[in-house]
């Protein structure tokens, strides 16, 4: 039976039951639980430092009202990083390569920022649809363009995360297949290909972390416009 390179992105099932829910739930058990002790272990200390640095980077330009989102966005970023990195392990499934899951993350959070802006400052929120100093004949066209760009934001969030992870996984599989095929015929070329594969895997680990950071950073920018 011939398998396609895209079969790795199919949601796994067991006896007809989709396992994507299990793939999303299990990473939570890997996180260290906080303790009431004054002195923590190295892992908890590193996790606390990472979360503090993240909050400083993301919420520094946001006013006090947007800081209520700190727990939500920080948890989302750590969760996305965990899913993305675990998906690089052999015989695993990456839920974030599914556009439906990424859109389920992006659409509600984007819609929440829009609703907050409409409720707290409707004039400023609607003012983003029409740049200041626009010539009168261009007003209807610019309003339509800005409205379309507003509704494209969640789609861009989901597609960006899906496309980057999918492209990385495909490239890793293509190079790994090439190294496996070339090993009996040209061992030297196969070793060089395997070296490229190792470097690409390191790059994909960085991409997995960066894409999760970009996802949350863009959400924070949308929040900044509406609070």
């Amino acid at each position: 039976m011939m398998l396609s390179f895209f079969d790795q992105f199919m949601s796994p099932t067991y006896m007809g039951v989709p396992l994507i829910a299990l793939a999303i739930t299990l990473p939570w058990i890997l996180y260290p639980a906080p303790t009431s002790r004054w002195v923590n272990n190295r892992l908890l200390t590193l996790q606390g430092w990472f979360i503090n640095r993240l909050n400083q980077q993301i919420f520094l330009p946001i006013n006090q009202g947007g800081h209520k989102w700190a727990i939500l966005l920080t948890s989302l970023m750590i969760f996305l990083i965990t899913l993305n990195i675990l998906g690089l392990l052999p015989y695993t499934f990456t839920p974030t390569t599914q556009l439906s899951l990424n859109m389920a993350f992006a659409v509600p959070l984007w819609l929440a920022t829009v609703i907050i802006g409409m409720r707290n400052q409707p004039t400023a929120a609607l003012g983003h649809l029409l740049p200041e100093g626009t010539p009168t004949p261009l007003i209807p066209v610019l309003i339509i363009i800005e409205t379309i760009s507003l509704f494209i934001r969640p789609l861009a969030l989901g597609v960006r995360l899906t496309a980057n992870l999918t492209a990385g996984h495909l490239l890793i599989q293509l190079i790994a297949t090439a190294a496996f095929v070339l090993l009996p015929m040209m061992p030297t070329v196969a070793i060089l290909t395997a070296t490229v594969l190792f470097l690409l895997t390191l790059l994909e680990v960085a991409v997995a972390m960066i894409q999760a950071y970009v996802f949350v950073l863009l959400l924070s920018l949308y929040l900044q416009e509406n609070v």
Side-chain angles (χ1 to χ4, degrees), residues 20-190:
I20 187 171
L22 188 63
I24 295 175
T25 306
L26 283 181
W28 289 105
I29 67 176
L30 301 177
Y31 304 139
T35 64
S36 58
R37 299 176 181 176
W38 286 11
V39 179
N40 294 320
N41 57 30
R42 292 184 178 90
L43 186 57
L44 279 175
T45 303
L46 182 62
Q47 177 180 302
W49 175 85
F50 174 75
I51 293 175
N52 289 333
R53 293 293 298 173
L54 170 66
N55 289 331
Q56 290 177 8
Q57 290 289 331
I58 291 181
F59 293 96
L60 186 61
I62 302 178
N63 59 26
Q64 194 67 28
H67 290 181
K68 301 175 183 178
W69 288 58
I71 296 179
L72 175 61
L73 294 184
T74 303
S75 302
L76 177 62
M77 178 177 174
I78 295 176
F79 184 57
L80 289 178
I81 289 177
T82 306
L83 289 179
N84 295 347
I85 293 181
L86 288 179
L88 294 173
L89 297 176
Y91 303 103
T92 56
F93 171 68
T94 312
T96 45
T97 57
Q98 305 293 313
L99 183 60
S100 57
L101 177 67
N102 295 333
M103 293 301 294
F105 285 138
V107 173
L109 294 174
W110 164 82
L111 187 59
T113 62
V114 174
I115 292 175
I116 287 175
M118 291 294 184
R119 186 188 66 178
N120 295 341
Q121 43 182 8
T123 304
L126 294 175
H128 289 123
L129 301 179
L130 184 63
E132 187 177 357
T134 303
T136 304
L138 296 179
I139 288 178
V141 178
L142 281 180
I143 290 178
I144 295 175
I145 293 175
E146 292 295 333
T147 304
I148 293 175
S149 67
L150 177 66
F151 283 96
I152 283 179
R153 285 179 174 182
L155 181 62
L157 280 176
V159 170
R160 180 186 293 107
L161 183 58
T162 304
N164 281 281
L165 295 179
T166 302
H169 283 67
L170 280 176
L171 196 55
I172 287 177
Q173 186 172 2
L174 286 171
I175 296 179
T177 304
F180 181 77
V181 171
L182 291 173
L183 185 59
M185 299 180 294
M186 294 179 285
T188 305
V189 178

Side-chain angles (χ1 to χ4, degrees), residues 80-89 164-165 168-169 172 197-213:
L80 289 178
I81 289 177
T82 306
L83 289 179
N84 295 347
I85 293 181
L86 288 179
L88 294 173
L89 297 176
N164 281 281
L165 295 179
H169 283 67
I172 287 177
L197 176 62
F198 175 74
L199 297 177
L200 179 63
T201 305
L202 295 180
L203 178 63
E204 283 303 313
V205 172
V207 168
M209 301 178 67
I210 292 172
Q211 288 304 316
Y213 174 75

